[in-house]
Amino acid sequence: MTENPFFAAGPLVGGLPPYAEIREEHYLPAYERGMAEQLAEIAAITGTPGGPTFENTLVALERSGELLRRVDAVFRNQSSSDTTELLDEVEATVSPLLAAHHDAIHLDQELFARVEALHGQRAGLGLDPESLRLLERWYTAFVRSGARLGTAEQTRLRELNAELAALATTFQQNVNTATRAAALVVDTAEELAGLSEGAIAGAAENARVLGHPGRYVLSLKSPSHQPELAQLSDRSVRERLLAASLGRGVAENGPPAIRLAELRAERAALLGHPSHAAYVVADETAGTVEAVSGLLARLVEPALANARREAAELAKVAAADGIGEIAAHDWAYYSEKVRQASYQVDAAALRPYFELERVLRDGVFFAAGLAYGLTFTERPELTAHHPDARVFEVFEQDGSPLGLFIGDFHARASKRGGAWMDELVGQSGLTGRRPVVLNNLNIPRPAPGEPALLSWDEVRTMFHEFGHALHGLFSDVTYPLFAGTSVPRDFVEFPSQVNEMWMVRPEVLANYARHHETGEPLPAALVERMTAAEGFGQGYRTVEYLAATLLDWAWHTLPAGHRVADAEEFEARALAEAGIAVPAIPPRYRTPYFQHIFSSGYSAGYYAYIWSEVLDADTVEWFGGNGRSVRESGELFRRELLARGFSRDPLESFRAVVGRAPDTAPLLARRGLDQGLTVR
């Protein structure tokens, strides 16, 4: 298959994959050749005469697998953002093959012997700090992957890894199918009363695209909570929408979730850990299960107290409608009424000020210019992975090229839910590559001829995901292992959360928040009220987040050999035992569609968001009060943290910016959890 475009790195702008030439049938042969090429490169390393050196072993390892790295990055994004039946089949085929390929390298005893020998000599090798860290991280990776296990244990480990990879793919594909199937279909526009005219028109267009002409379809978003619940005035429609969201995947994904948790526990025990959570956090910034459990436990009661206060406020308003007890499908609706009454804030009235194109160019890009001196030029002649996706070339303040940014903003049936960032090409001084990064969002497509108007939360998501993109774009490391977002899971959300602050910075907000018809700026008084209203609802948001986090923790602190009979029963018991089973506040994700932890690399890691938010809240305060200009602060944050990737301890990078260890007080104040809580 010599015409396969993956087999040659073409002369494309910034290393952009040759999407115009890539066809679905190219992926599997490219994967197969990529794996074969890397194994041949590994064999060449172990066969090098004269003993191991840093250059002939570690540098050679970093250079290996170039074709596999290239095809895997492209395929992972394609299968998530625009999948087909054939791509699903390729994913199901390739997932266990990749697990076996990883094992073939990390369980190669000759290769490990070379790395182990160098590790033992590391003090005398005269390595620079990044090279020394590379040696230490590769050694850790081999040990954590089972290189020290006996033959029988390694055989079982290979079996576990292959089955886990296949199950994770099955789980993800089940979520995609179940989410599409659970979309709420209604017959009349009257049933959608409360939504804006544009949203109703969008639901009609969505119905047409999905094969329901003349009807209206609300497609489900990734979390349990659906944003339309805040506007729909028909209580029965709200109830149907939330029931569809909470019930998706229950039959299909209960057994795979159980099996994934059980196999992960067995693997952890094989590798010398009491649970999968213990295995995971040992290599994160948290370090121990006790550290994570302690933080979560300290947050539960203050969060519940906040939520109870909010529920009392909602009940007063709901009583006027004859509702005696707030149900889960009522919470968002009456929260919106409280915000309107108490803060004079109408979420729907904000949308006309947040037109997608203006938010992108005059908000997200403008803030990146303000803090980091970047400029962006759209390159419509460059082909991306889907016609919706747009390519921008990114330039430094002096005009030199930095990399490429791809934005794929709209929802479609072939795209999985949620929002995420991918690195199609990772930066590396060793290979000379510049970064190509991508943001995927799921903003509903407007009716033809209508503008895409965003909610407050969707604006926040755009800034958040672009924070991940900046982390990838600013990478300035030698070795691919350390590039961009290749940092611990409980640190990776920190830079993206910090980037959210720009959405409400006065100079940024004034630049992008303008009425799409009149050009009038968002009134300053409304901004103040919206900022104040952010505090109301923190109880709900913290409880739903903690419920999902503690659910993840329950699944992944199971010891090896523990058997779970029913996923729903396990979930209910886990939430009750954690003291956070609140019927009116479902977990942000329930087990059957919790793709973060069962198929997307966040197993025993969903705590990362609150853990990272400690650093985020602290850094936002630092940005506002360190005596430097915004540009100077941005340059320091970029140079000492974003550019460093994993080339040094991430908390060392944090200290290099802020000048001290993290402080939890700003987070607790932000979430309204500081009253009556001892800060540790």
Side-chain angles (χ1 to χ4, degrees):
M1 207 173 196
T2 54
E3 76 280 6
N4 192 313
F6 286 110
F7 295 165
L12 299 172
V13 175
L16 184 72
Y19 283 113
E21 304 168 27
I22 295 172
R23 300 191 303 275
E24 292 179 353
E25 59 266 29
H26 291 143
Y27 285 113
L28 188 56
Y31 264 120
E32 292 171 340
R33 181 183 288 192
M35 287 185 277
E37 282 187 5
Q38 188 170 27
L39 291 180
E41 291 163 344
I42 298 301
I45 293 172
T46 58
T48 301
T53 66
F54 180 81
E55 191 71 28
N56 71 22
T57 301
L58 273 302
V59 173
L61 260 175
E62 284 293 282
R63 291 187 181 278
S64 72
E66 185 61 32
L67 171 57
L68 180 59
R69 185 182 294 115
R70 190 161 64 243
V71 65
D72 190 52
V74 176
F75 179 80
R76 280 188 292 104
N77 176 67
Q78 191 76 43
S79 63
S80 296
S81 64
D82 189 27
T83 196
T84 65
E85 288 187 11
L86 178 57
L87 291 182
D88 283 348
E89 292 173 9
V90 172
E91 186 175 26
T93 299
V94 164
S95 293
L97 295 179
L98 287 173
H101 180 73
H102 176 277
D103 287 341
I105 294 172
H106 289 80
L107 299 180
D108 185 317
Q109 292 306 294
E110 293 183 53
L111 182 60
F112 177 58
R114 296 175 73 91
V115 174
E116 188 173 36
L118 290 169
H119 187 259
Q121 304 162 15
R122 62 191 183 281
L125 295 178
L127 300 176
D128 63 80
E130 186 180 346
S131 297
L132 177 60
R133 184 166 176 82
L134 182 73
L135 173 54
E136 291 171 341
R137 290 305 306 169
W138 267 107
Y139 176 75
T140 298
F142 274 98
V143 172
R144 285 177 57 80
S145 297
R148 285 179 165 169
L149 296 179
T151 302
E153 289 81 6
Q154 287 192 0
T155 298
R156 179 56 182 153
L157 182 63
R158 292 174 192 266
E159 294 169 351
L160 289 169
N161 287 338
E163 187 174 356
L164 283 165
L167 281 167
T169 298
T170 297
F171 187 95
Q172 179 63 64
Q173 293 181 356
N174 285 348
V175 170
N176 294 344
T177 301
T179 299
R180 289 193 294 268
L184 181 66
V185 182
V186 300
D187 295 320
T188 67
E190 287 72 23
E191 293 173 273
L192 301 182
L195 299 186
S196 68
E197 290 183 7
I200 294 173
E205 173 65 11
N206 193 30
R208 184 193 67 77
V209 170
L210 295 177
H212 301 281
R215 303 174 81 187
Y216 302 83
V217 174
L218 300 179
S219 291
L220 297 184
K221 316 305 184 294
S222 187
S224 299
H225 175 84
Q226 301 299 307
E228 295 88 353
L229 292 170
Q231 279 84 44
L232 289 166
S233 56
D234 188 322
R235 194 183 190 208
S236 66
V237 175
R238 295 199 305 268
E239 185 173 14
R240 289 167 55 199
L241 178 60
L242 185 60
S245 179
L246 296 177
R248 59 190 138 143
V250 168
E252 303 92 335
N253 266 348
I258 291 171
R259 185 65 175 159
L260 280 160
E262 291 176 349
L263 293 180
R264 286 169 177 168
E266 181 184 349
R267 182 177 62 183
L270 197 62
L271 293 168
H273 297 270
S275 67
H276 180 68
Y279 170 77
V280 169
V281 299
D283 204 39
E284 302 289 319
T285 66
T288 66
V289 167
E290 292 73 22
V292 177
S293 297
L295 174 66
L296 298 179
R298 293 198 302 275
L299 296 179
V300 168
E301 186 48 44
L304 288 172
N306 258 5
R308 285 191 289 266
R309 287 192 291 270
E310 292 169 7
E313 291 296 314
L314 304 186
K316 294 175 186 176
V317 179
D321 292 341
I323 295 175
E325 185 175 351
I326 293 290
H329 52 270
D330 296 319
W331 195 292
Y333 182 74
Y334 286 103
S335 289
E336 190 59 32
K337 285 188 173 295
V338 169
R339 287 192 187 93
Q340 291 180 26
S342 300
Y343 302 99
Q344 292 78 54
V345 169
D346 181 354
L350 291 173
R351 282 184 179 270
Y353 294 93
F354 299 141
E355 190 271 323
L356 188 153
E357 190 68 17
R358 185 141 203 167
V359 172
L360 176 67
R361 292 183 179 276
D362 297 341
V364 174
F365 289 172
F366 175 77
L370 195 69
Y372 308 111
L374 301 185
T375 57
F376 300 81
T377 300
E378 187 159 8
R379 300 292 302 272
E381 77 280 11
L382 298 180
T383 302
H385 60 281
H386 188 276
D388 286 351
R390 302 159 61 187
V391 183
F392 297 84
E393 192 161 10
V394 187
F395 296 94
E396 299 276 19
Q397 189 167 15
D398 63 4
S400 59
L402 176 62
L404 297 180
F405 168 73
I406 302 173
D408 184 357
F409 303 115
H410 286 296
R412 51 181 172 268
S414 60
K415 183 190 286 190
R416 71 171 171 87
W420 67 97
M421 171 267 195
D422 272 328
E423 286 181 290
L424 294 175
V425 180
Q427 176 272 335
S428 168
L430 185 67
T431 63
R433 291 194 302 263
R434 290 204 300 268
V436 179
V437 302
L438 183 147
N439 280 170
N440 266 295
L441 278 71
N442 267 283
I443 296 167
R445 188 182 302 279
E450 295 296 318
L453 304 179
L454 311 187
S455 69
W456 182 264
D457 284 343
E458 286 167 340
V459 174
R460 186 188 309 281
T461 299
M462 282 195 73
F463 278 88
H464 177 99
E465 295 304 330
F466 195 72
H468 285 306
L470 290 173
H471 202 176
L473 285 167
F474 286 152
S475 178
D476 187 15
V477 299
T478 301
Y479 303 111
L481 187 69
F482 298 142
T485 57
S486 301
V487 296
R489 188 67 70 182
D490 59 7
F491 189 84
V492 75
E493 295 299 333
F494 159 50
S496 54
Q497 290 170 332
V498 167
N499 205 61
E500 293 176 22
M501 72 176 176
W502 299 111
M503 73 172 282
V504 292
R505 287 275 297 211
E507 66 270 44
V508 178
L509 190 66
N511 200 58
Y512 76 86
R514 292 179 173 271
H515 198 284
H516 73 99
E517 292 178 334
T518 67
E520 290 296 312
L522 185 65
L526 183 54
V527 176
E528 291 175 7
R529 294 197 301 272
M530 188 66 206
T531 303
E534 283 278 271
F536 183 82
Q538 283 293 347
Y540 179 95
R541 288 191 289 273
T542 306
V543 168
E544 71 157 359
Y545 166 76
L546 286 174
T549 302
L550 289 161
L551 180 58
D552 170 28
W553 210 236
W555 278 114
H556 292 116
T557 50
L558 292 174
H562 184 93
R563 295 291 174 256
V564 175
D566 182 86
E568 284 197 282
E569 289 178 4
F570 177 87
E571 176 178 305
R573 186 169 62 254
L575 295 175
E577 290 176 354
I580 203 160
V582 183
I585 308 180
R588 182 165 174 78
Y589 297 98
R590 293 194 61 222
T591 295
Y593 49 91
F594 205 165
Q595 54 195 5
H596 282 77
I597 68 169
F598 289 116
S599 60
S600 297
Y602 274 77
S603 59
Y606 199 63
Y607 78 90
Y609 290 92
I610 200 82
W611 192 271
S612 295
E613 197 179 343
V614 171
L615 308 180
D616 155 38
D618 206 3
T619 302
V620 169
E621 286 206 355
W622 170 84
F623 252 102
N626 63 40
R628 299 179 177 87
S629 68
V630 167
R631 186 71 181 84
E632 290 169 335
S633 296
E635 184 57 34
L636 178 59
F637 189 62
R638 170 183 177 171
R639 183 180 67 249
E640 293 294 344
L641 195 144
L642 297 177
R644 296 283 188 152
F646 202 28
S647 65
R648 70 177 176 190
D649 183 293
L651 292 181
E652 183 182 335
S653 294
F654 175 87
R655 286 189 291 270
V657 173
V658 179
R660 53 168 172 75
D663 181 5
T664 59
L667 165 69
L668 300 174
R670 174 192 286 184
R671 285 188 173 259
L673 304 177
D674 50 347
Q675 295 183 2
L677 182 67
T678 300
V679 179
R680 302 181 186 178

